[in-house]
Amino acid sequence: MDPDVISGAMCMAEGGTGGPGGESLLFLTDEQLRKGIEAMFFAYRGFTADPDRILAAHGYGRAHHRAVHFINRAPGTTVNNLLNILGVTKQSLNRVLRALIEDGLVESRVGAQDKRQRNLFLTETGAALERELSDAQRVRMRAAYRSAGPEAVAGFRTVLEAMMDTDLHHHFKALKEAGS
Amino acid sequence: MDPDVISGAMCMAEGGTGGPGGESLLFLTDEQLRKGIEAMFFAYRGFTADPDRILAAHGYGRAHHRAVHFINRAPGTTVNNLLNILGVTKQSLNRVLRALIEDGLVESRVGAQDKRQRNLFLTETGAALERELSDAQRVRMRAAYRSAGPEAVAGFRTVLEAMMDTDLHHHFKALKEAGS
DNA sequence: TTGGAATGTCAACAAGGCTGACATAAAATG
DNA sequence: CATTTTATGTCAGCCTTGTTGACATTCCAA
C-alpha cells in the first residue's frame, strides 16, 4: 500500500484569477496540496518559535502574546472585542488578562459611555514586551519576505486570506482598516 | 500614545529576487509585516478548523492528527523519526501513539534489522481517518489555491519555506523527496 | 562484557483550552 | 419604575497536550 501516490481527485485544471500572464492552469494534485499543508505546519512552528522563547523567559505563553498583540493593535478595545477576535471563551481570556493586569502590563479602564465595558490598554511595561515580541517576529518575517521577493509576498498574503474562515476574515478586514 | 503608528525600523528598500518585471522594491514597513503576522495567525486557525471538528467527533486532538498524518506520509517510519519531525517529547508522542495503537488505527511492528526500533503503519481504520482529515484539509487548501491563482500559490510556498527554522526545513526537504 | 541507543512507561505538573454556574453593574426596554 | 439583557468577572472542575525526571527493557556495537 502506498497512500502517498497521487490518488483521488486528480489534476484540477483551470486557474481563474484572470491574470493574463504566464501559466493559466493550476495543477492541484493531492501531492501538491499535501506539500502546502506540510509547509503550513512547519512554517507555523517557525513563526511562533521566537516569541515562544521570549514568552517563556517572562513566564508567559502564547495566549498572553495574542492578548498583548491585539491590545496593542487596537488600544482601548473591549473584552468582548478581544473575545471575538481570539475565538476563546471569556474564562480562558480572563485568566490571561488577569495575569497581565496584575503584573502591570495591561490597564483596564471602565468605559466612558458604557460603564459595563472595560477598555484595555498596554502600560509602558506591556508595550515593551509587545515590542520585544513583535520585533523578534518581524525579524523572521522580514527575512522570509526579503528572500522570497515582492511577488512571493503578495501571493503569500493572497493565499492566507483565502484560507481564513469567512468570519475570521471579517475580523481581519476590520482590523486592517480601523483600530478599535 | 499610539503604538500602531509605523515606528521603529522604517521602510526597507531593495527587493533582491532578481525578477526583472514590475516592482523591484520591497517596502517592508512594520505595518506590512504586522499584516503578514496577523494573516498567518488567522489563516492557521482556518487551516486547522476543519480537522479539529472531525477529530473532536472521533475523540482525538491535533496531536493525533499530526501523528496519523506523518505515519501515512512515511509508512514504516520509526518513533525517533516521528519525534524529530514533530518536535515533542517521546512521552507526549507515546501517549498519543498508545491511544492510536489501542484503538487499532496504528500498527507498531518490531524493526527488521534493528529490533529496538518500531516501524509504524496505519491500519485500514487509521488510513480511513487520515483520508477523512486530509480530504477536509485539501478542500480548503484547494479552494484557497484556486481563488488565489497559480502565481500566488508559488509565492505562498516560497515565503512559507523561508519562514521555517532551518532544522525544520531540513526535515521538510527530507519529506519532500523520499518517504522514510 | 559493557556502554549507549531506542523504546516504553510511570508519576507529577503546567498551560490553556473547555463547560457550567453564579454574581454584579449598567444599559435597554417594557 | 420594573424587568430583562448585556458586559464582565469569577469559581470549580475537566480535558488535551506539552513538560521533566526516573527507571526498565532490549539490543547493537565496541
Side-chain angles (χ1 to χ4, degrees):
Chain A
M1 170 177 117
D2 183 4
D4 223 52
V5 119
I6 300 168
S7 61
M10 284 290 295
C11 300
M12 311 220 54
E14 201 187 10
T17 38
E23 64 283 271
S24 59
L25 295 180
L26 250 187
F27 291 106
L28 295 181
T29 60
D30 283 8
E31 175 68 13
Q32 281 183 310
L33 292 167
R34 205 216 50 228
K35 280 181 190 167
I37 289 168
E38 288 180 357
M40 196 69 185
F41 170 68
F42 286 117
Y44 197 75
R45 285 249 300 267
F47 174 69
T48 54
D50 300 326
D52 281 354
R53 270 187 290 273
I54 295 168
L55 289 159
H58 288 260
Y60 293 121
R62 268 185 215 177
H64 303 85
H65 184 184
R66 295 194 278 264
V68 163
H69 174 96
F70 285 108
I71 292 173
N72 171 71
R73 177 76 179 73
T77 189
T78 64
V79 173
N80 235 358
N81 245 327
L82 219 45
L83 283 178
N84 289 327
I85 291 170
L86 297 178
V88 297
T89 59
K90 65 173 178 175
Q91 292 92 332
S92 272
L93 176 59
N94 198 255
R95 187 198 292 139
V96 165
L97 278 183
R98 206 188 316 161
L100 291 173
I101 291 170
E102 278 172 8
D103 296 352
L105 302 191
V106 167
E107 195 192 336
S108 165
R109 297 185 206 150
V110 172
Q113 310 111 345
D114 190 333
K115 290 175 191 166
R116 289 170 304 180
Q117 298 184 335
R118 301 303 139 94
N119 296 115
L120 304 169
F121 300 88
L122 292 187
T123 64
E124 255 316 305
T125 325
L129 176 61
E130 197 285 328
R131 239 173 285 128
E132 193 182 350
L133 290 166
S134 61
D135 279 353
Q137 211 156 28
R138 271 196 296 267
V139 164
R140 185 185 290 258
M141 189 67 95
R142 189 181 291 120
Y145 274 15
R146 292 192 62 172
S147 85
E151 292 154 40
V153 168
F156 168 73
R157 288 277 302 279
T158 305
V159 174
L160 284 192
E161 293 196 25
M163 209 182 298
M164 296 177 196
D165 273 329
T166 36
D167 55 332
L168 286 179
H169 202 172
H170 175 68
H171 289 305
F172 180 68
K173 277 194 299 191
L175 277 176
K176 278 214 305 196
E177 277 125 36
S180 173
Chain B
M1 168 180 117
D2 184 4
D4 223 50
V5 119
I6 299 168
S7 61
M10 285 289 293
C11 300
M12 311 221 54
E14 201 188 9
T17 39
E23 64 283 272
S24 60
L25 294 181
L26 249 187
F27 291 107
L28 294 180
T29 61
D30 283 8
E31 176 69 13
Q32 280 182 311
L33 292 166
R34 205 216 51 226
K35 278 181 191 165
I37 289 167
E38 288 180 357
M40 196 68 187
F41 169 69
F42 286 118
Y44 197 75
R45 284 249 301 268
F47 174 69
T48 54
D50 301 324
D52 281 354
R53 272 188 289 273
I54 294 168
L55 289 159
H58 288 260
Y60 293 121
R62 266 185 217 178
H64 303 86
H65 184 186
R66 294 195 277 265
V68 163
H69 174 95
F70 284 108
I71 293 173
N72 171 71
R73 178 76 179 72
T77 189
T78 64
V79 172
N80 229 6
N81 244 328
L82 219 46
L83 284 178
N84 289 328
I85 291 170
L86 297 178
V88 297
T89 58
K90 65 175 177 173
Q91 292 90 332
S92 265
L93 176 58
N94 197 256
R95 188 197 290 136
V96 165
L97 279 182
R98 204 187 320 160
L100 291 172
I101 291 170
E102 277 171 10
D103 296 352
L105 302 190
V106 167
E107 195 193 335
S108 166
R109 297 186 206 149
V110 172
Q113 309 111 344
D114 189 335
K115 291 174 190 166
R116 289 168 303 181
Q117 298 184 337
R118 302 301 138 98
N119 296 114
L120 303 169
F121 301 87
L122 293 186
T123 63
E124 255 315 306
T125 324
L129 176 61
E130 197 284 330
R131 239 171 285 128
E132 193 182 350
L133 290 167
S134 61
D135 280 353
Q137 212 156 28
R138 272 196 296 266
V139 164
R140 185 184 288 258
M141 189 67 94
R142 188 181 290 121
Y145 274 16
R146 292 192 63 171
S147 86
E151 291 155 40
V153 169
F156 168 72
R157 288 279 302 278
T158 305
V159 174
L160 284 193
E161 294 198 22
M163 210 181 298
M164 297 179 195
D165 271 329
T166 36
D167 53 332
L168 287 180
H169 202 174
H170 175 70
H171 289 305
F172 179 68
K173 277 194 299 190
L175 278 176
K176 278 214 305 196
E177 278 126 34
S180 179

